[in-house]
Amino acid sequence: MKEIGNWALDVAALRGASYADARLADDCSRALSTKNGKLGGASDSESLGIGVRVIADGAWGFAASDDLSRAAVEATAARAVEIAKASARVKQHDIRLAPEKAVTAEWTTPIQIDPFATSVEQNLELLLKIDSELRSVAGVTLAEANLNCRREEQWFVSSEGANLHQTKYTTGVGYAAYAFAGSEIQKRSYPNSYGGQWQNKGYELVHELKLVENARRVGEEAVALLKAEQCPEGVFTIILDGSQLGLQIHESVGHPIELDRVLGMEANFAGTSFLTLDKLRTLRYGSDLVNIVADARQEHGPGLGTFAFDEEGVPAQCTPIISNGLFTGYLSSRETAHTIGANRSGGTLRAEGWNRLPLIRMTNISILPGEKPLALEQLIASTDHGIYMETNRSWSIDDKRYNFQFGCEAGWEIKNGKRTRLLKNSSYSGITTDFWNSMDAICSRDEWVLWGTPHCGKGQPQQVMGTGHGAAPARFTNIKVGSAYKGN
Amino acid sequence: MLDKNQAADIFERIKKHSTADEVEAIFYGGRNALTRFANNTIHQNVAEENISVSVRAAFGGRTARATTNKFDDESVKRVVRSAEDLAKVQHPDADLLPMPDAGRSAGPTQAVPSRHFAQTAAITPEQRAEVVGKIVAIAQKRKLTTAGIFSNSESVEGIFNSRGLADWHTQTSSEVSITMLGADSSGWQKANSPDVANLDPIALAELAARKAFHSAAPREIPAGKYTVILEPAAVLDMVGFMFYDFGGLAVLDQRSFLNQRVGMKLFGGNIDIWDDVAHPLQSGSPFDGEGIRRQRLLLVEKGVVKRLVYARATAEKMKASEYKDQVGLIEPTGHGFPVPNEMGEAPMNIVFGAPEDPKTIDQMIASTERGVLVTRLWYIREVDPYEKLLTGMTRDGTFLVEEGKVRHGVRNFRFNESLLHMLSNVEEMGMPVRASGEESFDMVVPAMKVREFNFTEVTKF
């Protein structure tokens, strides 16, 4: 594969590129699902190709092809240079890249069980067993379960001499129960909504999640929601479970810290950011308890944003994003690092596949757990009056990432330190910095989970990326609750 | 690029390697290129060539598929084996139908106009850069910065199966999306068409620039219920959230807002909605994921939901279900997704009916005592699936209208609005146009003036 990449680099140089890199990727995935006791879907997919990124005349060009013959690869490289020269017709400045040492390295996600080596028959049996448990609950009208795995093998070579070979494994599994009655549809999911839990792990993830053991409870909660009280409207103390807090981090921290958004590069589609450059090390983003990092290193955990090198050959790093409440860092690339005075990229340039230009993307954007031991039940016990919300149901935030609204599948009223009645249609909303400054407690390491968000969209053409978000349950005060149903 | 004859040859090789009772191949992909600009600079500029084949194997009630983008003999053999291995380990499903034959695919339909335009396919990076240069010049003249895209593509979609069905569709597409940004304001416009001759990037840039200029120094007005004038892209991004519920399987699964509501008047008497792949402003292939020809259907007539769409298997299930007498006409309509799948089917070529007395947006503004003009909506998500309560934000050009005139830009709102409520409160409509947004698939929709639209919060810009 390195030889194929070098064909592209040679032609790019010959055509006038001042910089070039080539990524070849062999991407395999499997998706299994069941629905109401039957197969929902069963598919394997593979995709192999090359993407060539060049700078010529001070501007970017990118071309990709599924044809790995020498003639096609060389034509693809030539096309990338032609495109770069066209880009140069409308430019304000020449591209300059922060220096990065070119290295030769190999890395593979450490897994215990290759998910592709497991029995499809047994996997379908597992999903059907879950399905059966969910539908054993009277009132469950729809049961869905899914199991997904992916292996991305990638070779990266650059005109600066980088030579990298990485293989990344991802596993995702989860299920949902729906209950329809009267004029309502309610839903409960496990371990998370929208496909469950996803990590850079092998099949061992499936064994860890106690999937069958939780299915009946999940079904029962879906049905119970139909008869639950409506979540009240007003201002409350709320406690969010770790999976919901993970999505809150994704939307109200992860996206606004993307330096390409801050610099206006996503203005037409994903939007910009309220985190203008003057806010670095001056903005009080959250309370003193808020410590958030962008950490792609293996030691952070098996998140969907874990790797050894990003897609321009920069090693994985840990960047402090919010330190004791102070805003301290952006997600950056070799092209953008200089705009924040950095002499090196933060290593966050990632691509969906061989056919997409790498963009600044979240890695694992995680809130650090509290240092003092604090379990969820202790946190609830220390709360006089509030609402505990669990598992995302809807999410929305403006294009500068100020105003958000989230809905959760289930809520429970907290009274005098006790979780009491179940509440349906719970939602909360607010302004990003007000929200994070209202955090007054977070659970400790025992409650911390590295959640996966597998379907984050960004870019034109749009790319879907997996990101990781470590989080523990946390408490927020004076939060507006229930606006979603106001006036309806 | 792969043509139908080459695909047919590949399918012969697929059949040769297959041991399944039945086998199907879906080809898709092509060439696409996209020039992206921001800060008055082309900052990303890409091109891609990629075609894949998805092979479905079926053995007596068991089926699965596997996909590859490699067509050499070893890869073809491997993808066939993968599909067969996934299928063989399943429990047989009595509801799985045999693949349709060529006769079954014909169906009642009308001719779909050619959607392949050589001049769209032939656009070069230099030509895209030239257009972007003109857009940037407009931005600079107005002391704005601009961001957006100009793209073109040429794509194929084909289906073959071992019962003799063979169908093929080629088309081109071109798209322009432009954001103009001022210090504290922005404006946006977007359009696409199979024929690049239908696009006018300069006019779009001028309009986006005017919106950015006129929405400068936005003022905050309180959240609440307002009369809104939704431009077509905003209408599209809202209504797109309901059409997956028009699939028969969504009703059988009881996950649709149409559960127990087919035949009811859910919207205003001025709402007619068709699904019509052959409409001159529509796009896409004339056959569905099983190769069945798409029918033209009246889904909503005078606000009454008349019928659902069906894949073949869903139609059979519905006929045997307790709902069979409650959902109108049941027949395969050519709206199925590739089998196997969990979603069933959906209408994807939506065309709103023209109103009796169409109004321009200027006329809607002129007839409005107090309201809000909305250019674009953003990050729309479903809050309540049965009431079709949606939340989202306004973006890139939101204006206060008073006494028949656009007064000034306003800070963007969050809305929480039910689609049932919204489409029951449409006071005026424009002529439907081909619109393109970011939250839904393209469709032919009008601008709408809607009373009592529910804004619940205001953001900080």
Side-chain angles (χ1 to χ4, degrees):
Chain A
M1 289 293 187
K2 183 188 174 189
E3 185 186 3
I4 295 173
N6 284 335
W7 296 340
L9 299 185
D10 291 346
V11 167
L14 206 63
R15 298 290 182 119
S18 58
Y19 169 86
D21 60 43
R23 277 184 305 112
L24 293 105
D26 187 0
D27 194 340
C28 300
S29 61
R30 173 167 294 162
L32 303 173
S33 64
T34 57
K35 191 177 84 173
N36 277 358
K38 292 188 175 184
L39 180 86
S43 63
D44 277 354
S45 182
E46 60 177 32
S47 180
L48 174 64
I50 185 170
V52 182
R53 188 179 72 143
V54 306
I55 299 173
D57 293 351
W60 285 116
F62 176 84
S65 175
D66 57 359
D67 188 342
L68 296 184
S69 67
R70 182 163 190 159
V73 168
E74 291 180 346
T76 301
R79 189 174 305 120
V81 175
E82 178 196 0
I83 290 169
K85 290 180 175 176
S87 302
R89 294 176 58 171
V90 188
K91 68 174 180 181
Q92 307 295 321
H93 308 286
D94 283 359
I95 302 294
R96 57 187 169 112
L97 301 180
E100 189 61 46
K101 185 181 170 190
V103 297
T104 297
E106 298 227 4
W107 180 80
T108 300
T109 304
I111 59 169
Q112 294 170 26
I113 304 168
D114 180 353
F116 289 94
T118 60
S119 158
V120 171
E121 189 172 12
Q122 287 176 15
N123 287 331
L124 288 173
E125 290 301 326
L126 170 67
L127 298 183
L128 288 170
K129 172 68 176 165
I130 293 166
D131 180 287
S132 170
E133 288 287 311
L134 294 171
R135 288 187 301 120
S136 70
V137 178
V140 169
T141 50
L142 174 62
E144 293 178 332
N146 65 278
L147 199 164
N148 302 67
C149 54
R150 183 181 182 192
R151 181 182 64 239
E152 304 166 77
E153 186 171 10
Q154 183 175 289
W155 297 261
F156 175 89
V157 293
S158 78
S159 56
E160 296 172 340
N163 179 14
L164 303 171
H165 179 203
Q166 297 189 89
T167 304
K168 197 161 69 179
Y169 285 85
T170 301
T171 298
V173 62
Y175 54 83
Y178 296 75
F180 168 69
S183 59
E184 273 188 70
I185 300 171
Q186 292 291 345
K187 175 191 175 194
R188 282 295 276 146
S189 309
Y190 183 85
N192 199 357
S193 45
Y194 307 105
Q197 170 65 312
W198 299 67
Q199 289 188 325
N200 280 14
K201 277 188 177 175
Y203 195 80
E204 60 273 15
L205 177 69
V206 178
H207 293 315
E208 293 166 3
L209 291 172
K210 295 186 168 57
L211 295 161
V212 176
E213 294 89 327
N214 280 283
R216 188 166 178 86
R217 172 185 64 80
V218 167
E220 288 169 348
E221 287 182 359
V223 176
L225 282 166
L226 291 171
K227 293 184 177 172
E229 294 285 319
Q230 174 78 12
C231 180
E233 187 199 334
V235 175
F236 290 88
T237 292
I238 64 169
I239 296 173
L240 301 178
D241 83 307
S243 68
Q244 172 57 34
L245 189 60
L247 189 60
Q248 176 80 48
I249 294 167
H250 179 98
E251 301 291 357
S252 67
V253 180
H255 278 305
I257 62 173
E258 294 163 344
L259 196 46
D260 54 351
R261 292 181 70 114
V262 174
L263 298 174
M265 296 177 180
E266 293 286 332
N268 179 247
F269 176 57
T272 57
S273 171
F274 73 93
L275 286 174
T276 46
L277 296 179
D278 57 301
K279 294 189 172 61
L280 185 63
R281 298 184 197 91
T282 63
L283 175 72
R284 179 133 297 272
Y285 208 122
S287 69
D288 289 346
L289 293 173
V290 179
N291 287 284
I292 293 181
V293 296
D295 196 344
R297 301 172 305 163
Q298 184 65 49
E299 50 260 50
H300 188 70
L304 295 187
T306 300
F307 47 77
F309 296 89
D310 77 354
E311 261 115 56
E312 56 180 353
V314 179
Q317 297 165 44
C318 177
T319 302
I321 300 298
I322 302 174
S323 306
N324 298 322
L326 184 69
F327 172 49
T328 53
Y330 290 103
L331 303 177
S332 64
S333 62
R334 293 184 67 186
E335 179 186 356
T336 59
H338 73 93
T339 64
I340 51 171
N343 55 17
R344 189 188 187 201
S345 162
T348 67
L349 211 65
R350 306 176 66 195
E352 178 185 277
W354 58 266
N355 55 347
R356 290 289 178 269
L357 180 72
L359 305 173
I360 291 177
R361 300 304 301 250
M362 289 176 235
T363 54
N364 301 307
I365 315 299
S366 300
I367 189 165
L368 302 182
E371 292 178 359
K372 294 178 186 170
L374 182 64
L376 172 60
E377 292 312 316
Q378 290 172 307
L379 179 58
I380 290 172
S382 68
T383 304
D384 285 341
H385 187 216
I387 299 170
Y388 169 59
M389 298 187 194
E390 204 172 83
T391 318
N392 184 262
R393 187 184 183 201
S394 68
W395 68 105
S396 174
I397 190 164
D398 70 44
D399 59 289
K400 288 186 192 290
R401 304 277 153 174
Y402 273 124
N403 178 285
F404 61 80
Q405 178 180 300
F406 291 95
C408 290
E409 289 183 353
W412 284 268
E413 187 174 41
I414 300 169
K415 268 190 173 176
N416 301 319
K418 290 198 164 38
R419 193 195 300 209
T420 59
R421 59 181 178 145
L422 180 66
L423 301 170
K424 66 184 173 190
N425 303 331
S426 55
S427 67
Y428 66 98
S429 55
I431 295 291
T432 291
T433 45
D434 296 345
F435 177 81
W436 286 107
N437 274 285
S438 78
M439 193 180 99
D440 75 346
I442 182 165
C443 291
S444 50
R445 176 67 64 176
D446 288 351
E447 300 275 359
W448 192 88
V449 174
L450 188 43
W451 294 97
T453 301
H455 301 126
C456 175
K458 184 180 177 183
Q460 297 164 299
Q462 192 171 11
Q463 302 187 39
V464 174
M465 181 62 65
T467 63
H469 304 288
R475 186 172 64 197
F476 301 83
T477 60
N478 295 311
I479 302 300
K480 192 187 278 188
V481 168
S483 290
Y485 281 80
K486 184 181 177 184
N488 284 287
Chain B
M1 200 164 62
L2 192 75
D3 63 27
K4 186 177 183 181
N5 290 334
Q6 291 168 320
D9 289 343
I10 295 168
F11 184 60
E12 287 303 313
R13 285 196 277 136
I14 288 169
K15 280 198 294 188
K16 189 181 77 180
H17 292 304
S18 174
T19 62
D21 298 345
E22 295 181 314
V23 65
E24 169 200 278
I26 294 176
F27 294 85
Y28 61 93
R31 300 188 184 108
N32 55 70
L34 183 147
T35 297
R36 198 173 191 211
F37 52 99
N39 299 313
N40 295 347
T41 296
I42 294 177
H43 68 309
Q44 293 166 12
N45 205 348
V46 303
E48 175 197 356
E49 292 190 19
N50 190 21
I51 293 181
S52 298
V53 62
S54 180
V55 174
R56 178 162 80 97
F59 299 88
R62 299 168 296 168
T63 194
R65 62 174 58 249
T67 302
T68 183
N69 66 344
K70 291 284 166 286
F71 301 131
D72 60 275
D73 231 27
E74 188 185 332
S75 298
V76 167
K77 195 173 178 179
R78 185 173 61 250
V79 76
V80 170
R81 192 170 59 238
S82 290
E84 294 186 352
D85 288 349
L86 285 174
K88 282 176 181 171
V89 296
Q90 299 167 19
H91 299 299
D93 178 359
D95 291 335
L96 183 70
L97 299 178
M99 293 179 185
D101 58 30
R104 289 289 302 276
S105 78
T109 186
Q110 67 258 273
V112 169
S114 171
R115 288 169 176 158
H116 187 278
F117 295 85
Q119 62 175 344
T120 304
I123 297 171
T124 65
E126 290 75 18
Q127 290 169 319
R128 291 195 302 275
E130 186 180 341
V131 170
V132 172
K134 291 176 181 172
I135 295 168
V136 167
I138 291 167
Q140 289 172 327
K141 188 177 72 184
R142 299 271 198 155
K143 295 186 168 44
L144 301 168
T145 59
T146 187
I149 60 141
F150 180 23
S151 69
N152 65 301
S153 68
E154 181 181 26
S155 60
V156 299
E157 189 177 338
I159 185 166
F160 299 80
N161 73 28
S162 52
R163 294 171 73 91
L165 183 148
D167 215 337
W168 194 255
H169 174 75
T170 62
Q171 82 162 69
T172 51
S173 179
S174 55
E175 183 165 284
V176 174
S177 179
I178 301 167
T179 303
M180 291 282 180
L181 296 115
D184 57 7
S185 65
S186 55
W188 171 85
Q189 289 292 286
K190 182 179 182 182
N192 77 21
S193 172
D195 184 357
V196 70
N198 292 331
L199 300 185
D200 188 347
I202 305 308
L204 294 172
E206 293 282 10
L207 183 51
R210 281 201 297 277
K211 284 178 176 285
F213 180 79
H214 290 300
S215 60
R219 301 176 206 173
E220 182 169 333
I221 61 172
K225 294 197 174 183
Y226 286 86
T227 291
V228 293
I229 298 161
L230 302 173
E231 296 197 1
V235 172
L236 158 110
D237 278 338
M238 288 285 284
V239 300
F241 277 77
M242 71 178 178
F243 291 111
Y244 290 97
D245 291 39
F246 276 76
L249 195 58
V251 170
L252 284 168
D253 288 343
Q254 299 186 78
R255 58 182 157 83
S256 169
F257 82 101
L258 298 177
N259 297 348
Q260 301 173 359
R261 283 172 167 166
V262 178
M264 293 174 62
K265 186 169 186 294
L266 297 182
F267 314 123
N270 52 356
I271 302 296
D272 291 342
I273 304 174
W274 297 81
D275 185 84
D276 182 7
V277 72
H279 189 281
L281 295 178
Q282 267 294 349
S283 181
S285 75
F287 49 87
D288 75 358
E290 286 188 279
I292 304 297
R293 288 267 160 174
R294 299 183 188 278
Q295 291 185 36
R296 180 173 188 261
L297 303 174
L298 181 57
L299 302 173
V300 176
E301 184 177 26
K302 298 186 188 325
V304 177
V305 176
K306 302 297 286 187
R307 62 174 302 171
L308 305 172
V309 301
Y310 294 96
R312 295 163 62 237
T314 307
E316 294 300 312
K317 282 185 208 166
M318 187 64 88
K319 285 174 188 170
S321 78
E322 61 191 291
Y323 312 112
K324 65 180 187 296
D325 299 322
Q326 305 165 23
V327 293
L329 184 61
I330 306 170
E331 62 177 356
T333 57
H335 293 84
F337 297 124
V339 175
N341 71 79
E342 299 129 328
M343 297 295 289
E345 57 280 304
M348 306 294 285
N349 296 97
I350 296 299
V351 178
F352 272 64
E356 288 179 8
D357 182 19
K359 305 289 187 188
T360 65
I361 289 175
D362 285 344
Q363 287 172 318
M364 293 183 202
I365 292 168
S367 66
T368 301
E369 187 61 28
R370 181 175 166 82
V372 176
L373 171 63
V374 176
T375 300
R376 179 187 189 186
L377 299 174
W378 165 249
Y379 223 132
I380 305 172
R381 291 294 181 273
E382 187 175 85
V383 172
D384 187 306
Y386 199 66
E387 294 309 315
K388 274 289 173 237
L389 177 60
L390 307 179
T391 192
M393 300 295 303
T394 64
R395 177 180 175 180
D396 295 330
T398 309
F399 300 88
L400 178 69
V401 176
E402 278 183 330
E403 297 172 340
K405 290 191 167 51
V406 173
R407 294 298 180 186
H408 52 77
V410 296
R411 287 190 171 183
N412 286 295
F413 287 108
R414 170 168 298 289
F415 63 86
N416 280 278
E417 172 72 14
S418 160
L419 269 178
L420 279 68
H421 180 266
M422 176 183 131
L423 291 178
S424 296
N425 287 326
V426 178
E427 293 183 343
E428 294 177 347
M429 278 189 283
M431 282 302 291
V433 296
R434 177 172 177 78
S436 184
E438 304 292 0
E439 306 278 341
S440 182
F441 51 92
D442 301 335
M443 56 184 86
V444 182
V445 291
M448 290 181 177
K449 179 176 166 181
V450 180
R451 65 179 172 273
E452 295 188 336
F453 194 88
N454 190 29
F455 291 126
T456 53
E457 292 182 3
V458 188
T459 190
K460 296 178 77 170
F461 61 95

